[in-house]
Amino acid sequence: MTKLVFMGTPAFSVPILEGLVEAGYEVLAVVTQPDRPVGRKKTITPPPVKVAAEALGLEVLQPEKISGSKEMERIIELAPDLLITAAFGQFLPEKLLQVPQFGAINVHASLLPKYRGGAPVHYAIMNGDQETGVTIMEMIKKMDAGGIYSQARLPITQKDDVGTMFEKLSLLGRDLLLETLPQLLAGELEKEPQDEAEVTFSPNITREQEAVDWTKSAHLIDCQIRGMRPWPIAFTTYQGARWKLWGATPLAETTEETPGTIIHKGKKELWVACGEGTVLAIEELQPAGKGRQSIQAFLNGVGHQVTVGEKLGVAND
């Protein structure tokens, strides 16, 4: 029986861990991030992988930083045959990568070499890609740069957001990993080097990237909104107050108004001029200090004072 240590943190990683246990692999320990404060009340909350690992009766290690930690020494002591990571969130030191006889592999939520880094799903949606996927790759010291063992593809629909894609990619990653492992462990699988000329990156989303740029087309703004939902959430501003944008629809209408201008208001409609003469209908938003609400509820409440001709956007405040 192959003995392994699994390393992961968010909900994306949970089906992958559970799939390994169900398939009969001996998981010696699970390594995840420390419990963190969550929400407005800053409630200390365990990561999803910790919850799943404890339910499975597995040993859990939570180093603040894996390099040089007592948790790393514990992994070395366990002497696993293989390390498997899936959205763990930390770099692994060379000393640790050299421990398992079969090395270390990562389940990465992109079609490498595209979107190396911590936010591949966000960027795939924000950039309007029509597909993404999962890569099983060798872990080396350089970020997401190891050889590729296998890949699987998945379409991105116009309704998908980060939440739905994470769910789909998690299951795809689980299935691809379980298909790949027997060949890899039998020495029957050659890894394919990544084409460095095709490399792109997906660094963690910055606060500046969350702000909507109304000079972009309605299509790209819709992609941005879906590519940041359910976190970190795209936003715009109105009279200095922040609106988080949860949902919108690009329309067939065109306009000559300046991007960011409110061009139509109805009982259930709020349309905004975007770049290239396009128009976006805001469907769901969260005004400052309020909950998430439909555009109809917003216009019947705090949004009743919004008027056609006013402008949205950071640059206008």
Side-chain angles (χ1 to χ4, degrees), residues 103 156 211:
I156 301 173

Side-chain angles (χ1 to χ4, degrees), residues 33-68:
Q33 298 277 20
D35 298 2
R36 305 286 191 199
V38 172
R40 289 185 178 182
K41 295 184 179 179
K42 304 296 182 184
T43 305
I44 300 299
T45 306
V49 163
K50 178 182 180 180
V51 176
E54 289 182 337
L56 292 165
L58 301 174
E59 179 179 350
V60 176
L61 306 173
Q62 293 181 274
E64 190 67 47
K65 183 181 179 184
I66 187 71
S67 183

Side-chain angles (χ1 to χ4, degrees), residues 168-186:
K168 294 177 185 179
L169 290 167
S170 178
L171 298 178
L172 184 68
R174 175 198 63 191
D175 294 346
L176 182 63
L177 177 65
L178 294 177
E179 289 172 16
T180 303
L181 278 177
Q183 292 174 279
L184 188 152
L185 295 169

Side-chain angles (χ1 to χ4, degrees), residues 6-84:
F6 181 82
M7 310 176 80
T9 299
F12 169 81
S13 317
V14 171
I16 300 169
L17 169 62
E18 292 173 338
L20 288 166
V21 173
E22 289 169 11
Y25 292 97
E26 184 180 356
V27 180
L28 302 174
V30 173
V31 189
T32 189
Q33 298 277 20
D35 298 2
R36 305 286 191 199
V38 172
R40 289 185 178 182
K41 295 184 179 179
K42 304 296 182 184
T43 305
I44 300 299
T45 306
V49 163
K50 178 182 180 180
V51 176
E54 289 182 337
L56 292 165
L58 301 174
E59 179 179 350
V60 176
L61 306 173
Q62 293 181 274
E64 190 67 47
K65 183 181 179 184
I66 187 71
S67 183
S69 66
K70 67 180 187 299
E71 289 86 358
M72 187 176 89
E73 293 306 315
R74 174 59 177 157
I75 297 168
I76 294 171
E77 177 187 314
L78 289 169
D81 301 313
L82 180 69
L83 284 177
I84 298 178

